[in-house]
């Protein structure tokens, strides 16, 4: 990556309300320098006579995969030592590098190489070696942090080392602006990089910068949703007749949460032939006894008359038949009462209740021995291998939804998770009672973790996407109604820039104007940097007391 080189300029900031460390600029301006420990010094408090011929300072900012380098150094003169004020930051968490060694490797195309080593940091994040390159020439500078296998390198670009006699001649001349190092005219604030925000501030707060890139992005919509059973995948097991509940032959009474297969015997019902209570059965039994007594007396009377030759044989057979019917009625009444009171084992007459589908028991409100009525629900079974995820869309959003896809979902307080195999089932054609339009997804649920009745949130792409410049939504700031980002131009140099945003997809935002791929934007701590710009504008516009 090509390094970014910036001029030094005086930049004052007012962030005492946001940060405990006082702010001052750290760009290429003779109004600021570092002391022996790398601390920033305000040169307005230093006698100008102490400076003499201060060397022109250069700066370079560049990035590797792991590190950010921000380095300030005087224009190199062969044989003359200069302080290389080197700030190194870990890009993983934007913390300062706290240990060395740090090697500075100067190499020319003719094979000449010079190396200088800073064994350790002057303080966290800052190395302050005094380096004298012995020979003039055009060098490539590479910095290598660490030793052995724990080494990281970062390119620092090219360095021109001039001979001592050339440097003396240049010092007698008027200063000439070198566009390679200055990059902007020095009148007012530079449009690019007019906010100074020191490394010391960045290291002491939650701070992050990310490069801008072009990516495929589709608009995403987030909606409340609810898990529901699929139609035809839930069933109730009801009693075919009124009676007493008995457990299956294995005595394993099914309880909610237990899984069953289609055809499994869940319970048995011992029918009571429609009898409702003991009183009714007692009445039936009494009536049956009375009818039997009357039938017996009638049979005996007819039998005597038949012996006397008064009645026919047919009449005797009729009386005998009525007696047998009355006796059977009595036996049946007695049996029903004994079944209700548990006096006899009639399990062989019980009717099996079988699971109509495979799934999980969701309700089992009864217990063995309990009486149930005909068609009363004994068990509820749900096939939850697939469920419906029913999103509730507002009518105003329906025009944006062309072909929902790339579905993710989460429960309250949970993490977003993908739902492999989810398919768009259907979109409602009218609003429901709550005023929303149902948008239903058919979702596999092999582990049973999607529980019907639970509330979820869903997010999905609304249709076709596009290639666009993309940034995290945390990079977008609302500055008095204007959407802005903070662009990093150098290690301590930033710019407030207005942008136009496009479609949003989760935590990503498309930028339609104002940014280009490869630029770097602040994604954490952007508002604090924006406060820095406010402070700077206030400085110089007040009045002395």
């Amino acid at each position: 990556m090509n390094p970014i080189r910036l001029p030094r300029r005086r930049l004052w900031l007012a962030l005492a309300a946001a940060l405990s460390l006082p702010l001052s600029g750290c760009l290429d301006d003779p109004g600021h320098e570092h002391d022996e420990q790398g601390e920033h010094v305000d040169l307005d408090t230093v006698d100008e006579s102490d400076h003499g011929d201060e060397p022109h300072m250069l700066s370079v900012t560049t990035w590797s995969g792991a590190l950010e380098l921000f380095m300030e150094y005087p224009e190199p003169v062969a044989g003359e030592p200069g302080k290389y004020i080197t700030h190194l930051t870990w890009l993983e968490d934007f913390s300062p590098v706290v240990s060395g060694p740090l090697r500075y490797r100067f190499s020319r195309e003719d094979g000449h190489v010079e190396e200088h080593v800073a064994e350790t940091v002057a303080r966290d994040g800052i190395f302050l070696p005094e380096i004298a390159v012995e020979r003039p020439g055009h060098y490539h500078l590479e910095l290598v942090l660490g030793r052995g296998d724990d080494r990281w390198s970062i390119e620092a670009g090219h360095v021109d080392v001039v001979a001592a006699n050339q440097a003396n001649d240049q010092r007698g001349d008027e200063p000439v602006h070198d566009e390679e190092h200055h990059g902007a005219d020095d009148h007012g604030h530079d449009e690019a990089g007019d906010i100074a925000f020191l490394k010391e501030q960045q290291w002491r707060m939650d701070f992050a910068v990310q490069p801008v890139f072009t990516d495929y992005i589709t608009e995403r919509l987030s909606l409340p949703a609810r898990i529901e059973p699929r139609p035809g995948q839930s069933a109730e097991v009801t009693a075919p007749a009124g009676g007493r509940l008995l457990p299956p032959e294995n005595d394993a009474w099914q309880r909610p949460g237990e899984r069953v297969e289609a055809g499994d015997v869940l319970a048995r019902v011992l029918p009571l032939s429609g009898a409702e209570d003991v009183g009714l059965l007692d009445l039936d039994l009494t009536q049956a006894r009375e009818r039997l007594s009357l039938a017996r007396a009638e049979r005996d009377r007819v039998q005597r008359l038949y012996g006397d030759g008064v009645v026919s044989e047919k009449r005797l057979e009729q009386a005998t038949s009525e007696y047998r019917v009355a006796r059977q009625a009595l036996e049946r009444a007695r049996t029903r009462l004994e079944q209700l009171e548990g006096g006899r084992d009639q399990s062989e007459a019980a009717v099996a209740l079988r699971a109509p589908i495979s799934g999980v028991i969701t309700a089992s409100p009864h217990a063995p021995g309990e009486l149930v009525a005909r068609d009363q629900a004994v068990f509820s079974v749900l096939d939850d291998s697939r469920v419906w995820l029913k999103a509730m869309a507002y009518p105003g959003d329906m025009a944006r939804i062309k072909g929902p896809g790339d579905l993710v979902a989460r429960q309250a307080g949970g993490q977003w998770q993908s739902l492999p195999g989810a398919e768009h089932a259907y979109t409602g054609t009218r609003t429901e009672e709550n005023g929303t339009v149902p948008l239903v997804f058919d979702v596999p649920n092999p582990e049973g973790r999607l529980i019907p009745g639970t509330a979820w949130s869903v997010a999905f792409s609304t249709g076709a996407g596009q290639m666009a410049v993309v940034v995290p939504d945390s990079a977008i700031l609302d500055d008095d109604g204007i959407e802005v980002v903070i662009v990093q131009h150098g290690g301590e140099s930033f710019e407030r820039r207005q942008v136009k945003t496009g479609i949003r997809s989760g935590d990503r935002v498309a930028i339609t104007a104002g940014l280009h791929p490869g630029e770097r934007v602040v994604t954490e701590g952007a508002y604090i940097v924006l406060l820095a710009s406010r402070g700077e504008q206030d400085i110089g516009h007040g009045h002395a007391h």
Side-chain angles (χ1 to χ4, degrees):
M1 178 180 291
N2 293 328
I4 296 176
R5 297 180 178 277
L6 297 170
R8 300 185 69 195
R9 304 178 58 250
R10 177 180 301 172
L11 294 172
W12 298 87
L13 305 174
L15 282 181
L19 298 169
S20 59
L21 186 67
L23 301 179
S24 61
C26 188
L27 300 176
D28 297 339
D29 188 327
H32 143 218
E33 68 175 19
H34 296 76
D35 62 16
E36 293 299 323
Q37 298 302 316
E39 297 283 0
H40 295 87
V41 177
D42 179 5
L43 295 186
D44 283 353
T45 63
V46 180
D47 191 335
E48 294 291 338
S49 62
D50 293 341
H51 289 277
D53 294 330
E54 180 184 348
H56 179 63
M57 296 293 288
L58 304 175
S59 72
V60 57
T61 302
T62 189
W63 298 267
S64 69
L67 293 166
E68 178 197 84
L69 166 68
F70 171 55
M71 183 170 66
E72 298 172 296
Y73 58 98
E75 286 187 319
V77 178
E80 295 185 8
K83 182 181 293 184
Y84 283 64
I85 306 165
T86 307
H87 306 71
L88 279 179
T89 303
W90 293 111
L91 292 180
E92 181 179 10
D93 57 4
F94 287 84
S95 63
V97 171
V98 297
S99 63
L102 181 62
R103 297 180 180 274
Y104 298 72
R105 192 174 190 272
F106 296 81
S107 58
R108 294 191 315 204
E109 290 185 356
D110 62 4
H112 175 69
V113 176
E114 296 188 28
E115 283 196 2
H116 302 268
V117 180
E119 291 294 339
T120 187
V121 295
R123 60 192 184 91
D124 287 356
I126 300 177
F127 295 83
L128 296 175
E130 293 277 351
I131 295 177
V133 180
E134 296 302 326
R135 300 183 188 180
H138 185 70
Y139 288 86
H140 171 76
L141 176 57
E142 177 189 19
L143 277 63
V144 180
L145 176 67
R147 293 187 178 92
D149 294 335
D150 295 328
R151 291 188 302 172
W152 296 267
S153 64
I154 185 167
E155 302 292 333
H158 292 91
V159 176
D160 290 319
V161 180
V162 300
N165 57 352
Q166 293 177 327
N168 292 332
D169 292 342
Q170 291 179 3
R171 287 167 183 166
D173 298 334
E174 290 294 326
V176 177
H177 290 292
D178 183 350
E179 290 298 328
E180 179 183 2
H181 298 296
H182 291 265
D185 295 332
D186 190 19
H187 47 81
H189 294 302
D190 295 341
E191 286 299 322
D194 62 355
I195 304 173
F197 197 69
L198 307 183
K199 281 298 172 189
E200 287 83 348
Q201 270 75 42
Q202 299 173 31
W203 292 333
R204 295 185 183 185
M205 60 181 278
D206 291 333
F207 187 81
V209 178
Q210 290 186 20
V212 176
F213 57 91
T214 300
D215 198 7
Y216 186 81
I217 185 172
T218 59
E219 184 180 19
R220 295 186 68 81
L221 188 63
S222 180
L223 297 173
R226 183 175 61 251
I227 302 293
E228 293 186 353
R230 291 177 76 200
Q233 292 193 190
S234 61
E236 288 191 339
V237 182
T238 60
R244 183 186 301 277
L245 287 177
L246 300 177
E249 292 182 358
N250 60 7
D251 290 331
W253 188 261
Q254 301 293 338
R255 291 176 172 81
E258 296 182 353
R259 292 198 168 270
V260 296
E261 299 296 327
D264 286 354
V265 177
L266 307 182
R268 294 176 297 166
V269 176
L270 185 60
L272 296 181
S273 304
E276 298 294 333
D277 53 41
V278 175
L280 182 58
L281 290 178
D282 278 337
L283 177 60
D284 288 344
L285 182 60
T286 300
Q287 289 175 343
R289 286 189 181 125
E290 291 299 324
R291 282 194 296 267
L292 178 61
S293 178
L294 292 174
R296 181 185 298 114
E298 179 64 15
R299 182 202 63 179
D300 293 344
R301 186 183 71 81
V302 171
Q303 197 169 26
R304 287 193 302 272
L305 292 175
Y306 175 74
D308 294 339
V310 176
V311 297
S312 65
E313 183 179 357
K314 183 178 180 180
R315 177 68 184 91
L316 176 60
E317 290 175 355
Q318 182 181 1
T320 302
S321 175
E322 291 174 353
Y323 167 75
R324 287 196 296 265
V325 170
R327 187 176 60 186
Q328 289 178 356
L330 175 61
E331 185 65 25
R332 185 175 60 182
R334 183 182 292 114
T335 299
R336 289 200 303 267
L337 183 60
E338 288 175 349
Q339 290 175 355
L340 185 61
E341 294 175 343
R344 295 175 56 189
D345 181 9
Q346 297 292 327
S347 59
E348 66 276 1
V351 179
L353 300 183
R354 298 182 181 273
I357 60 173
S358 298
V360 61
I361 300 292
T362 58
S364 175
H366 301 287
E370 189 174 346
L371 287 177
V372 292
R374 181 178 180 177
D375 296 329
Q376 187 173 355
V378 181
F379 297 97
S380 295
V381 184
L382 171 67
D383 177 5
D384 62 348
S385 59
R386 297 188 73 92
V387 295
W388 272 6
L389 182 57
K390 186 177 182 181
M392 292 166 273
Y394 298 101
D397 291 328
M398 297 307 298
R400 301 161 55 191
I401 304 173
K402 305 300 182 183
D406 190 20
L407 178 70
V408 294
R410 70 175 179 183
Q411 284 187 287
Q415 300 294 321
W416 288 105
Q417 53 188 285
S418 61
L419 299 174
E423 299 176 354
H424 176 223
Y426 78 93
T427 299
T429 57
R430 61 181 181 180
T431 59
E432 297 190 338
E433 292 181 358
N434 60 5
T436 62
V437 179
L439 194 70
V440 179
F441 296 88
D442 189 8
V443 184
N445 188 31
E447 298 177 0
R449 57 188 178 89
L450 303 178
I451 302 174
T454 56
W456 287 66
S457 296
V458 299
F460 53 86
S461 58
T462 59
Q466 63 186 56
M467 295 298 295
V469 173
V470 176
V471 299
D473 62 356
S474 60
I476 309 295
L477 300 178
D478 183 347
D479 187 14
D480 293 332
I482 300 174
E483 291 183 313
V484 301
V485 297
I486 303 299
V487 180
Q488 184 182 28
H489 288 279
E492 297 178 337
S493 172
F494 299 85
E495 172 197 357
R496 171 193 175 277
R497 187 183 300 176
Q498 184 175 349
V499 295
K500 292 183 178 180
T501 59
I503 62 177
R504 294 176 178 264
S505 177
D507 60 355
R508 303 191 307 157
V509 182
I511 302 297
T512 60
L515 280 177
H516 301 282
E519 294 185 294
R520 304 178 76 89
V521 295
V522 179
T523 57
E524 284 189 67
Y527 183 69
I528 301 300
V529 183
L530 184 64
L531 289 182
S533 69
R534 293 290 183 267
E536 181 186 344
Q537 292 171 3
D538 292 340
I539 298 296
H541 293 80
H543 60 277
H545 294 274

